[in-house]
Amino acid sequence: MSLKPNYIPKILIIDDEPFNLEFLELVLRQQGYKIVTANNGRTGIECAVKNQPDLILLDIMMPGETGFECATILRLSPETSEIPIIFLTALDDAKSTQKGFDAGAVDFITKPFEYREVLHRIRLHLKIAASDKFMMNNQVELLEQNSALPAHDDTSPQRKNKSIFPAKQEEAQTYIYESVILPNKSESILLLNFTPPQLDNRTANNIRKALTLNTGPLYTPAETFRNVGTALRETFRSDIDQMMEIDGIYAHINRETDTLTLVNAGSLPAILLQPDGSTVFIEPQSGPLGELGKGLLPCSTFEMKKNSRLFIYSREMLSAFDSTGKGIKELKEACELSAGVDIETACQAAGEMLLKGKATLEGILIAVEA
C-alpha cells in the first residue's frame, strides 16, 4: 500500500500577464503543489478568501488594484491576514521594496523568473509560515515559560531623546506604555489604549513579556505588534468583546538608518515633526486589534533624520477638548511652536497645553527625537 503526503500546500498566483501565470503554474504543478490562479487583483482577493491558500504570489504592477493595494486588503481581512505574500516584480528600487514590506509582503521575486529561485523562496516561506503558526499557537506556553521580566534600564543614553507627560506616571488603567532599547541605537515604543477596567496586572505583564520575547533583529515591527496582539487575544479569549476595544501604536525608530516604521491599529494619528517644520499625520492603517486576524499588519516607513520628533498620545490626553479633531489640531500647533526647544521642555509644554485648566489628565503624551 502506498502512502500519501499529509500536507500538500496550495499556492495562489495573481498576475495579469498570461505567460507568467502559465509558467509559474506549470513549474509549481510539476513540483506537486496545488495551484489556483487569478489574472487581476479583485479576482485574486476573492480567490484568497474562497480557497485559503498557504501562500500567495502577487504581481505588483497590475491594472485596477495594484499588488500593494491587494496586499493591504489581504492583510486587513481576518480570513486572509495570515497568508504569506511574495511579490512578483520588475521593480528593484529601495523605495518600492520598503513599500512592499510595509504592505505586508514577506519577500520579493524579481522578473524575469529563474525557476530554481522561485521554488527555493516558496519552500522557505512555507516552512517559515508553518513554524510561525506553531509559535503563535503556543504563545501562552512561551509566556508562562518566560515568567521573569527584565529590569527597566533607566540609565540608557537614549533617554535624553525621549520625554513623557506627565513626567511622573501613576499606575494606569486605561493604557500601557513600554519602550525597548536595542543595541544598534534603535528604540521601539508600544502604546496600547484600553477601555476600563480591562487593564489589570496580569494583562500588563503578559504584554511586557510578549514584547521582550518578540523584539530584536529577528522581528519586523509588524511581526512584533502582531505577536503582542496574539498574546492579548489569548488573555481575552473568554471575552473577545473586550479585545474589540483595544487600539494601539507600535513605533520602531532606527537611528542607524534614520527611519521610523510605525504600525497604527485604530489609534489617533501620530504626529511626526520634520526638521524643516513640516508635519506628517500618521493615520491608522487598520482597525483596533480585535477586528484583525493574526496576520502582519500594514505599516508605514518615514525618514526620521536628526531633530525630527515623533509625538504619540493616548485618547485621554484630549479629554479637555470639545472634539477630538480640535484637540489634535492644537496639539499639532503646540508641537510646531516648541520645535526650537529641547525635547523634554517641548513635551511638557505640549502636555500643559492639553490640560486646558484641568488639574490632571489620565492619559500620556510621548515625545521622541531622532
Side-chain angles (χ1 to χ4, degrees), residues 94-230:
K95 187 175 182 180
S96 297
T97 301
Q98 185 61 62
K99 187 176 180 180
F101 284 131
D102 285 350
V106 297
D107 206 348
F108 289 77
I109 296 176
T110 305
K111 299 177 182 180
F113 306 126
E114 205 289 313
Y115 79 93
R116 283 178 290 261
E117 179 186 6
V118 172
L119 295 175
H120 173 76
R121 298 285 182 90
I122 288 172
R123 190 179 298 115
L124 172 66
H125 286 289
L126 285 171
K127 290 179 179 179
I128 291 174
S131 175
D132 202 34
K133 189 174 293 185
F134 176 83
M135 291 281 287
M136 291 302 97
N137 291 338
N138 291 273
Q139 185 75 216
V140 174
E141 288 79 2
L142 289 170
L143 291 175
E144 290 174 350
Q145 291 170 13
N146 292 268
S147 57
L149 282 167
H152 285 69
D153 180 10
D154 290 334
T155 63
S156 169
Q158 264 104 340
R159 283 183 59 81
K160 65 184 180 181
N161 296 321
K162 183 171 60 183
S163 180
I164 62 174
F165 178 89
K168 183 179 180 181
Q169 288 288 307
E170 304 296 334
E171 190 67 26
Q173 295 298 317
T174 58
Y175 69 85
I176 184 170
Y177 153 68
E178 291 293 336
S179 66
V180 180
I181 305 297
L182 302 176
N184 67 337
K185 301 181 182 178
S186 298
E187 181 174 5
S188 295
I189 295 169
L190 175 71
L191 176 63
L192 295 176
N193 297 296
F194 294 76
T195 299
Q198 291 180 348
L199 186 57
D200 55 24
N201 288 335
R202 176 176 175 270
T203 302
N205 283 333
N206 277 349
I207 293 169
R208 293 183 183 110
K209 284 187 282 187
L211 198 56
T212 60
L213 283 171
N214 295 287
T215 51
L218 288 179
Y219 300 94
T220 66
E223 288 171 335
T224 298
F225 201 35
R226 182 271 313 271
N227 295 354
V228 170
T230 300

Side-chain angles (χ1 to χ4, degrees), residues 55-72:
L55 183 142
I56 297 173
L57 299 178
L58 177 58
D59 185 30
I60 289 182
M61 304 303 293
M62 295 186 293
E65 289 90 348
T66 67
F68 296 129
E69 293 166 339
C70 288
T72 300

Side-chain angles (χ1 to χ4, degrees), residues 285-299:
Q285 300 108 329
S286 69
L289 289 175
E291 296 180 1
L292 306 169
K294 298 179 183 179
L296 301 180
L297 304 183
C299 52

